[in-house]
Amino acid sequence: MESTEHNEPRSLVIHLIEDDDDHAGIVVRLLARSASTSKVERSRDGEEAIEYLEQKKLEEKRKLPDLILLDLKLPKKDGHEVLQFIKQDPVLHSIPVVILSTSDAESDRIKAYELYANSYLVKPLELGSFKDLTDEIVRYWGVWNIPATEQKGNVSEQRP
């Protein structure tokens, strides 16, 4: 088995699906401090998120996000509906979706994992802990995780 060193963070495009402006502002500011986050895009409700992802699928170069951070308590379509849409779509289903919610309810966690969420994180109340959490998200998804499109030998499918 080949060993791979993961020292340099990959540039990440993160799609944040969050209706709360204060929470979104905190997440965007904290992610912007990370060298590996090249862009944070935001949708403010479930319908807007689905429309955004549908539009991304139609773009010529299909520049899909590298990671989706998804709140559960959204207007119009809730986070579980958005998650189900993403994971049932043959183009979108491989995008990692991390639930980032204030809800610690077991029923929400169970439903999210049944719909194939890649991770479930509860938003910390303290800013320092929130910073630590966003740093770890970027570190994991931007340094340690190896997406299928970037595996060795699959250079033609690599994202820029």
Side-chain angles (χ1 to χ4, degrees):
M1 184 172 201
E2 205 173 299
S3 170
T4 307
E5 282 293 320
H6 297 286
N7 296 326
E8 294 300 316
R10 288 182 309 282
S11 179
L12 293 175
V13 174
I14 298 174
H15 186 76
L16 174 64
I17 306 171
E18 171 65 69
D19 65 314
D20 185 291
D21 288 336
D22 291 333
H23 288 182
I26 291 168
V27 173
V28 169
R29 278 192 305 278
L30 292 173
L31 290 172
R33 293 179 182 175
S34 169
S36 63
T37 304
S38 64
K39 187 175 185 182
V40 179
E41 300 163 336
R42 178 181 173 207
S43 294
R44 289 170 170 76
D45 63 57
E47 284 183 5
E48 184 180 313
I50 289 172
E51 289 171 10
Y52 164 88
L53 292 167
E54 286 286 4
Q55 183 60 42
K56 286 292 187 182
K57 287 180 1 183
L58 297 174
E59 289 179 4
E60 185 178 328
K61 291 190 177 185
R62 213 184 257 177
K63 294 184 180 183
L64 299 171
D66 298 300
L67 177 66
I68 295 173
L69 299 178
L70 175 62
D71 187 24
L72 291 181
K73 309 300 183 202
L74 297 170
K76 300 184 182 176
K77 289 192 183 285
D78 72 23
H80 288 116
E81 292 173 289
V82 175
L83 178 60
Q84 183 172 18
F85 167 80
I86 293 166
K87 294 303 182 178
Q88 288 181 346
D89 186 283
V91 174
L92 304 173
H93 76 274
S94 64
I95 300 171
V97 178
V98 174
I99 303 302
L100 185 59
S101 178
T102 56
S103 173
D104 193 20
E106 184 178 18
S107 60
D108 283 337
R109 290 192 314 268
I110 290 169
K111 187 171 183 179
Y113 282 119
E114 285 176 346
L115 294 171
Y116 304 105
N118 295 89
S119 184
Y120 193 106
L121 304 172
V122 177
K123 295 174 187 172
L125 298 176
E126 199 269 320
L127 186 60
S129 296
F130 214 140
K131 180 189 179 313
D132 292 344
L133 177 67
T134 56
D135 288 349
E136 289 301 318
I137 289 170
V138 170
R139 182 172 165 79
Y140 178 79
W141 295 103
V143 177
W144 296 110
N145 185 61
I146 304 172
T149 56
E150 292 186 4
Q151 289 178 0
K152 191 172 184 159
N154 197 6
V155 176
S156 65
E157 293 295 318
Q158 285 188 356
R159 291 184 183 173

